[in-house]
Amino acid sequence: MLAMYPFLAEASRYIRDQGLSLEEVLDHRAFQGARNWARERVFTSLETGDLPNPPLSRSAECLEALYAYPLARILVSCVGDGFLVRRFALAEADLARRRLSRESDDFLLAASHALGLDALRDGAFRLHFSDFLRATRQLRGKEWKLINQPVREGFVLLSRDRFLRVVEGHLRNRFEAELPLEVNPTLLRAFEEEVIELHTALRDRRSRLQGEDLGTIRVTNFPPCMEKLLATVLASENVSHPGRFALVSFMNNIGLGFDEIYQIFASVPDFRESVTRYQIEHITGQISGTVYTAPECSTMKSYGICPGPDRLCETITHPLSYYRKKTRMSGTAKKAPADRPAKAAS
Ligand code: SF4
């Protein structure tokens, strides 16, 4: 059980009771498997976020899994990159949710108590509203607003699936807050190779996405709103749902294809391949046949995602008009992708 949930206090206690320092674990050949597993956890968090969940039956496998978790946290801390921390926290929390989803209600409730959540079960799961607010702060969508929840006597009523999502949110926040840990030169030396590889992977990822041109598209001709949304995504920060919709539809309208848009969104911390793929396919018309048009300025303003117009904004009413006008003015039109007509408006 501890190997499946190595973030529980009981697991840390067990490791502490073994009396081995992390430096000793890193040096010992018997722990090579744990070290390999830690490495895989961190690289997979960065690349896909989809951590494997193999069955743990043999005691050697359980021990490796148990030690892999603190070693992975040390590796992330040695790199000390905020984006990697967020990707790792998200992937670990997702794995914990998948594992907890196979447990009984009693186990799930006991685990939530061990994680410090004020939860009850009485038909539905109930969670104190203050814990609900904290745990869901990174979850987007109206369905996670407290005002939209059934609340009784200070407790939010949740189905088992939604309770699992809240526990996942709680874990994600906790993992993010705990990292990076302090690392000493011995630990840095032990992970020297992996740290170099991870820095290279992070650098490649950023340089792929930070070019001034996106294929035939001039980012310098973007209106302030889209420039800001794109910069937020490239800085690996989360963008609100309306912001994502606006940016994806805008980029599609000016001629970027699915693959290019998908690559850009692969840098957001809560990137989930299937969800991102579905959202982009939906907005770009690959699922429904409807190609959505980016929202006009008045809608952008009502969403609070117009950062304030510049002088050119004062002459237009739509971000696409801004892009077309600026492209013409700067003489950088390339086959006028912005003039490609959208089939339907949102
Ligand atoms: S006025 Fe329109 S084009 Fe300009 S920043 Fe705001 S939403 Fe974008």
Side-chain angles (χ1 to χ4, degrees):
M1 190 276 279
L2 298 184
M4 299 277 275
Y5 306 105
F7 45 82
L8 292 176
E10 219 180 318
S12 316
R13 258 196 311 276
Y14 177 86
I15 289 180
R16 238 188 347 264
D17 291 348
Q18 301 308 300
L20 287 168
S21 71
L22 284 167
E23 287 84 351
E24 284 171 313
V25 170
L26 282 168
D27 267 352
H28 208 297
R29 281 178 54 200
F31 289 97
Q32 187 56 43
R35 185 180 165 138
N36 292 343
W37 203 336
R39 185 184 189 286
E40 189 189 339
R41 269 176 120 113
V42 179
F43 275 88
T44 307
S45 300
L46 180 61
E47 284 154 11
T48 65
D50 195 10
L51 295 180
N53 183 16
L56 301 171
S57 43
R58 291 187 301 117
S59 62
E61 288 170 343
C62 291
L63 207 60
E64 279 181 3
L66 185 59
Y67 277 93
Y69 175 72
L71 293 181
R73 280 159 49 98
I74 288 170
L75 176 51
V76 170
S77 303
C78 287
V79 177
D81 180 277
F83 178 64
L84 182 63
V85 166
R86 291 194 289 276
R87 290 288 295 172
F88 178 75
L90 185 72
E92 286 289 341
D94 174 69
L95 176 63
R97 179 189 48 78
R98 281 186 278 136
R99 285 177 166 168
L100 284 168
S101 70
R102 295 186 186 164
E103 307 284 1
S104 66
D105 285 356
D106 286 345
F107 184 98
L108 176 55
L109 191 65
S112 69
H113 291 160
L115 294 169
L117 292 171
D118 186 0
L120 306 165
R121 190 165 59 86
D122 167 15
F125 283 88
R126 294 165 183 251
L127 181 67
H128 195 268
F129 80 94
S130 57
D131 282 344
F132 177 87
L133 279 173
R134 275 191 290 272
T136 56
R137 70 182 165 79
Q138 299 204 61
L139 296 178
R140 281 186 300 275
K142 284 187 198 135
E143 73 269 28
W144 293 110
K145 298 261 177 267
L146 183 60
I147 196 165
N148 296 325
Q149 311 305 318
V151 180
R152 267 189 229 137
E153 295 166 357
F155 283 79
V156 178
L157 272 60
L158 295 155
S159 67
R160 182 182 157 90
D161 277 355
R162 286 172 65 78
F163 185 65
L164 279 161
R165 287 292 307 279
V166 175
V167 173
E168 179 186 5
H170 174 73
L171 280 170
R172 177 181 170 187
N173 295 341
R174 189 185 118 178
F175 296 155
E176 277 188 19
E178 288 172 346
L179 296 174
L181 308 165
E182 262 188 51
V183 283
N184 61 36
T186 312
L187 296 172
L188 278 169
R189 254 194 316 279
F191 277 121
E192 198 174 4
E193 233 174 76
E194 287 90 345
V195 169
I196 292 172
E197 274 184 64
L198 283 162
H199 274 304
T200 306
L202 284 159
R203 214 175 24 249
D204 286 353
R205 189 183 187 95
R206 289 192 175 114
S207 64
R208 255 200 335 266
L209 298 171
Q210 284 177 339
E212 190 175 85
D213 286 354
L214 295 167
T216 56
I217 304 304
R218 297 287 293 180
V219 176
T220 44
N221 293 345
F222 275 27
C225 49
M226 299 301 169
E227 201 183 339
K228 186 165 181 215
L229 288 170
L230 180 64
T232 307
V233 171
L234 294 180
S236 307
E237 287 167 25
N238 281 322
V239 170
S240 66
H241 182 71
R244 282 187 194 215
F245 174 82
L247 185 60
V248 171
S249 52
F250 174 83
M251 290 195 296
N252 185 237
N253 296 157
I254 64 173
L256 284 184
F258 173 87
D259 288 341
E260 293 154 307
I261 299 173
Y262 180 82
Q263 276 304 313
I264 290 167
F265 276 85
S267 75
V268 297
D270 66 350
F271 170 76
R272 287 197 181 158
E273 193 176 344
S274 55
V275 177
T276 305
R277 182 173 288 277
Y278 177 80
Q279 285 176 341
I280 299 174
E281 282 177 349
H282 179 71
I283 296 170
T284 58
Q286 294 186 29
I287 291 176
S288 63
T290 300
V291 179
Y292 286 90
T293 303
E296 54 190 22
C297 296
S298 56
T299 311
M300 297 284 285
K301 285 172 188 165
S302 70
Y303 287 154
I305 48 178
C306 164
D310 67 10
R311 289 184 67 181
L312 187 53
C313 288
E314 287 165 16
T315 68
I316 50 89
T317 56
H318 200 289
L320 284 169
S321 309
Y322 183 111
Y323 181 81
R324 290 176 186 136
K325 211 163 179 175
K326 194 158 177 188
T327 300
R328 274 197 300 273
M329 284 161 58
S330 61
T332 52
K334 297 180 184 178
K335 293 194 173 185
D339 293 334
R340 194 181 66 174
K343 291 174 193 154
S346 59

